[in-house]
Amino acid sequence: MKLRPLHDRVIVKRIESETKTASGIFIPDNAAEKPDQGEVLAVGPGKKNDKGELGAMSVKVGDRVLFGKYSGQTVKVDGDELLVMKEDDLFAVVEK
């Protein structure tokens, strides 16, 4: 199944965080926090302004982004857990 987000929404796949600390201690799954980084898989066309013009999106497919731990709506697609959220819910794009 392929998703196409509407308006100013983006589809993000969480990037799993490390399960081992720098000192070598393994973190069990039940103690690990939800990752707050992800990769943008799809981007909507944008949001219309007061004049009805479509505003360009600030993110593109493939961008690595930061977001709140409880941001977005979780959906399962083909066994993958994805997040659908508004562009406003994103905090930043991680530059490489």
Side-chain angles (χ1 to χ4, degrees):
M1 177 174 18
K2 189 171 181 177
L3 295 178
R4 181 176 51 92
L6 302 174
H7 308 293
D8 64 335
R9 288 182 174 76
V10 295
I11 297 177
V12 176
K13 182 173 183 175
R14 287 186 194 269
I15 297 173
E16 295 302 321
S17 57
E18 293 292 323
T19 58
K20 186 170 132 180
T21 65
S23 60
I25 298 172
F26 285 96
I27 302 169
D29 288 340
N30 60 354
E33 293 185 9
K34 285 185 177 181
D36 54 0
Q37 287 189 36
E39 180 182 354
V40 177
L41 299 180
V43 178
K47 190 175 184 179
K48 290 188 178 183
N49 62 17
D50 296 337
K51 298 178 184 176
E53 300 165 341
L54 211 56
M57 298 286 278
S58 302
V59 295
K60 61 185 180 308
V61 173
D63 280 350
R64 188 175 211 173
V65 294
L66 299 177
F67 50 86
K69 293 193 186 310
Y70 303 105
S71 296
Q73 178 65 42
T74 303
V75 294
K76 282 210 174 209
V77 177
D78 297 334
D80 288 332
E81 194 171 285
L82 306 176
L83 290 169
V84 179
M85 62 180 76
K86 289 191 170 207
E87 185 182 30
D88 293 344
D89 292 339
L90 301 176
F91 297 148
V93 175
V94 178
E95 300 290 337
K96 295 179 183 178

